[in-house]
Amino acid sequence: MRHPRGFTLLELLVVMLIIGILAAIAIPRFFGSKERAYLVTMKSDLRNLVTAQEGYAAAGAGYTTSASLLGYGTSGGVTVTILTADSSGWSATAAHNGTSKTCGIYLGTAAAPIAGAQAGEALCR
C-alpha cells in the first residue's frame, strides 16, 4: 500500500486560514500597545522636565524656555517644546514621531496646553 507524503491542499488552506485569523486579531493589539508606549515615553519626558525646571527655579533663576539651560534632553523620537516660562509658572508640550497625539503639562500660573489638565499632570490627547 502506498503511504501519502506531505499535506493536501485542503490542509494547507485550513492552516493558512487559521494563521490569517490569528494575525487579524494580533496586529491591531500590537499597534495599540506601540502607541501606549509612545504616550508613556512622552509623559516620562514631561515629568523629567518638571524636575529640571524645579531644580533651575530652586537655584533662584525662575523658570526658563531653554532646554539647554536646564541640561534637559528627551527620549528618541520625542520633541518637547517649552511654550511659556516666567517666574510664576511654565507650560510645555511633547510630541512623538510615532503618533499623532500630543501630551502637555504646566505648573504655576501658566495656561494648560491640553484642555482639562491639572497643574503638574501630564495629559495626552
Side-chain angles (χ1 to χ4, degrees):
M1 205 172 227
R2 185 176 161 186
H3 296 288
R5 295 179 185 209
F7 299 102
T8 66
L9 180 60
L10 181 60
E11 291 170 330
L12 291 174
L13 288 174
V14 168
V15 169
M16 288 176 58
L17 177 68
I18 291 170
I19 291 172
I21 291 171
L22 291 174
I25 293 169
I27 288 174
R29 291 181 148 267
F30 172 72
F31 286 119
S33 65
K34 281 181 71 173
E35 183 169 47
R36 283 191 303 275
Y38 295 146
L39 296 177
V40 167
T41 302
M42 289 188 293
K43 285 181 178 182
S44 175
D45 282 355
L46 288 173
R47 285 189 206 103
N48 290 338
L49 179 60
V50 169
T51 303
Q53 284 280 25
E54 290 304 315
Y56 188 80
Y63 299 111
T64 182
T65 57
S66 172
S68 62
L69 285 176
L70 297 171
Y72 170 76
T74 62
S75 303
V78 177
T79 304
V80 172
T81 306
I82 304 170
L83 302 171
T84 61
D86 58 28
S87 62
S88 61
W90 60 274
S91 65
T93 59
H96 193 287
N97 57 16
T99 182
S100 62
K101 294 188 177 180
T102 301
C103 296
I105 195 166
Y106 76 100
L107 283 176
T109 59
I114 304 288
Q118 305 268 336
E121 171 195 13
L123 182 66
C124 300
R125 294 234 169 116

